[in-house]
């Protein structure tokens, strides 16, 4: 139910986007209505059509915002890792994954972003930017642990696919926030197949 509180134009739009992402995390892309979004945001139903023409436009904007926020976080992490040693890089990447997954609905929203990209060219552009940023982070981590730059560019795609695969399995097991305990070992094995797993 709407709270009746007054919301500024920009704040109202942001509240609707936040509410939409929370609902995507809870119910998936198609498990809620515009009325549900308004209720989740604490706003009147009419405010949804004031800010967005329809549900598709709101969903698209929410997923694009999610992608933009992910890209911003990755770029900030890349800046922090500029002079880090290899183990610090791996630790920072895993910690960032844990922080991301701990955000309610974040993993599900990311998986929904990828699925929606297969159906909507406008969302596909956001998803592609997001994946490119993940590749850049993986490539930075790989070069930090001594992988030659050319090889790192190739391996980066595999690393991102491996992490996404772990995320899909966690979601399938009913806990999209989980980070597999053996993910660091899996990453080490991918980077250096001769490494000894701990």
């Amino acid at each position: 139910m709407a709270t009746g509180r007054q919301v500024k134009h920009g704040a109202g739009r942001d509240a609707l986007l936040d509410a939409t992402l929370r609902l995507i995390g809870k119910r998936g892309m198609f498990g809620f209505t515009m009325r549900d979004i308004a209720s989740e945001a604490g706003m009147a139903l009419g405010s949804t059509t004031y800010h967005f023409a329809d549900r598709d436009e709101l969903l698209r904007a929410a997923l694009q915002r999610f992608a933009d926020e992910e890209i911003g976080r990755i770029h900030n992490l890349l800046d922090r890792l500029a002079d880090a040693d290899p183990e610090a890089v791996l630790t920072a990447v895993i910690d960032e994954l844990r922080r991301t997954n701990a955000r309610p609905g974040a993993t599900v929203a990311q998986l929904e972003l990828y699925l929606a990209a297969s159906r909507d060219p406008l969302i596909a552009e956001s998803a592609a930017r997001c994946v490119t940023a993940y590749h850049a982070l993986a490539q930075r981590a790989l070069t930090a642990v001594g992988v030659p730059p050319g090889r790192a560019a190739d391996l980066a795609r595999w690393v991102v696919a491996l992490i996404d695969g772990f995320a899909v399995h966690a979601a399938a097991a009913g806990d999209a926030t989980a980070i597999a305990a053996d993910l660091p070992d899996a990453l080490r094995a991918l980077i250096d197949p001769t490494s000894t797993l701990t």
Side-chain angles (χ1 to χ4, degrees):
M1 175 178 284
T3 63
R5 60 188 170 85
Q6 294 297 312
V7 183
K8 293 181 181 178
H9 177 80
R13 187 177 192 279
D14 288 343
L16 290 169
L17 293 175
D18 289 341
T20 302
L21 287 173
R22 287 195 300 273
L23 288 172
I24 289 173
K26 294 174 186 175
R27 306 183 191 177
M29 286 275 287
F30 304 105
F32 54 89
T33 64
M34 289 290 266
R35 185 178 299 277
D36 294 327
I37 295 169
S39 177
E40 179 75 16
M43 298 168 66
L45 178 60
S47 62
T48 60
T49 53
Y50 174 73
H51 292 286
F52 300 96
D54 54 30
R55 186 178 181 277
D56 286 343
E57 182 181 312
L58 176 49
L59 284 172
R60 189 178 295 124
L63 290 173
Q64 288 172 339
R65 177 175 167 181
F66 173 81
D68 289 340
E69 290 176 349
E70 283 292 285
I71 290 166
R73 263 190 291 277
I74 290 167
H75 286 167
N76 288 337
L77 182 58
L78 284 169
D79 289 342
R80 296 199 311 270
L81 295 178
D83 299 311
D85 63 73
E87 196 58 34
V89 170
L90 181 60
T91 299
V93 170
I94 297 298
D95 286 348
E96 183 65 19
L97 287 171
R98 287 196 176 98
R99 278 192 294 273
T100 298
N101 283 25
R103 287 165 31 231
T107 299
V108 173
Q110 180 181 355
L111 298 177
E112 291 284 1
L113 171 67
Y114 293 163
L115 290 175
S118 69
R119 299 183 292 267
D120 186 330
L122 294 176
I123 292 177
E125 187 272 336
S126 293
R129 289 190 297 111
C130 200
V131 171
T132 297
Y134 290 140
H135 287 170
L137 176 59
Q139 188 170 348
R140 169 69 189 91
L142 289 164
T143 55
V145 298
V147 177
R151 179 65 172 156
D154 294 332
L155 273 181
R157 294 183 301 106
W158 299 1
V159 165
V160 173
L162 175 70
I163 292 170
D164 284 345
F166 270 92
V168 169
H169 289 183
D175 185 3
T177 67
I179 293 288
D182 58 344
L183 178 56
D185 282 342
L187 290 171
R188 289 188 183 96
L190 181 60
I191 294 166
D192 179 9
T194 66
S195 66
T196 302
L197 300 184
T198 57

